[in-house]
Amino acid sequence: MTDMSSSEPPVTGAKGPDELRRQIERTRSELGDTVEELAGKMDVKGRARARAADLRDKAGAMTVQLRSSAAQAGHTVHDRATQAGHKVQDKAVESGHKVQDKAVKSGHKVQDRTLQAGHVTQDRASQTSAALERRAERSVPRPARPLVMAAIRHPRPTLIVGAAVVAVVVVSWRYPKK
């Protein structure tokens, strides 16, 4: 197969046996290249495997990204729930102290009201916590939901695991393998 776009002049005939051998060798080489190209295009299994490997890599990257997003969402929800709980608790303590001071002056009637206010405040804090948990259940993607809910219910182990992951990342970044 001769390529008409190449810079060589077209082959018209051999001028001797050496030139004929060179032309034959050149033709064999071109024919071999053409056969290799056709074989590569016919290797559907190989191309499918390569495509599958690419898709596995992309899926792995997406999984890592999803887990990271879920962990971040869990931390955010936990932090907000903790802040809300502390605010409610502070207000309850503050109002409890105020009411208690008045109760000492007013008697048992005010103490009963203080207990009622404490129970109401505690109920509202529980409702707020449950509402935050429900909001997390709705806003976090389904694959990451169990992880986020576990992080909300058990913040200490989550923080320990997160710190360990951060330490591994920092060490691997700081001291890469050579």
Side-chain angles (χ1 to χ4, degrees):
M1 298 180 105
T2 58
D3 189 7
M4 297 307 257
S5 64
S6 68
S7 60
E8 297 178 18
V11 178
T12 56
K15 294 184 182 174
D18 290 335
E19 188 176 339
L20 182 60
R21 284 187 191 100
R22 281 193 298 268
Q23 287 178 357
I24 289 171
E25 192 57 41
R26 189 179 325 128
T27 304
R28 280 184 185 159
S29 175
E30 290 174 0
L31 185 58
D33 293 343
T34 304
V35 168
E36 282 184 31
E37 285 180 30
L38 289 173
K41 289 182 180 179
M42 296 301 292
D43 185 18
V44 175
K45 241 185 202 180
R47 291 191 327 209
R49 284 185 186 136
R51 178 75 173 139
D54 288 344
L55 290 175
R56 271 193 301 272
D57 291 344
K58 286 182 183 177
M62 288 178 70
T63 300
V64 168
Q65 185 179 7
L66 239 171
R67 286 181 179 161
S68 173
S69 297
Q72 187 177 7
H75 290 302
T76 303
V77 168
H78 181 264
D79 290 345
R80 288 183 182 171
T82 302
Q83 288 174 355
H86 286 307
K87 284 182 182 178
V88 168
Q89 190 176 15
D90 291 345
K91 292 287 183 180
V93 168
E94 184 181 316
S95 66
H97 287 302
K98 288 180 183 177
V99 172
Q100 191 175 11
D101 290 343
K102 290 181 182 179
V104 169
K105 295 175 185 173
S106 302
H108 293 290
K109 197 174 192 180
V110 175
Q111 284 181 339
D112 291 341
R113 289 182 185 169
T114 303
L115 284 174
Q116 274 183 329
H119 289 300
V120 168
T121 305
Q122 191 173 12
D123 289 342
R124 286 185 182 164
S126 296
Q127 290 171 357
T128 303
S129 175
L132 287 172
E133 241 180 359
R134 284 192 304 272
R135 186 181 303 165
E137 287 177 356
R138 286 191 306 263
S139 64
V140 173
R142 188 172 290 266
R145 200 170 291 157
L147 184 64
V148 171
M149 296 311 292
I152 289 172
R153 290 186 187 112
H154 310 288
R156 233 183 224 139
T158 303
L159 290 174
I160 292 169
V161 169
V165 168
V166 167
V168 168
V169 168
V170 167
V171 167
S172 66
W173 175 70
R174 187 79 191 246
Y175 304 103
K177 289 183 179 179
K178 294 181 181 179

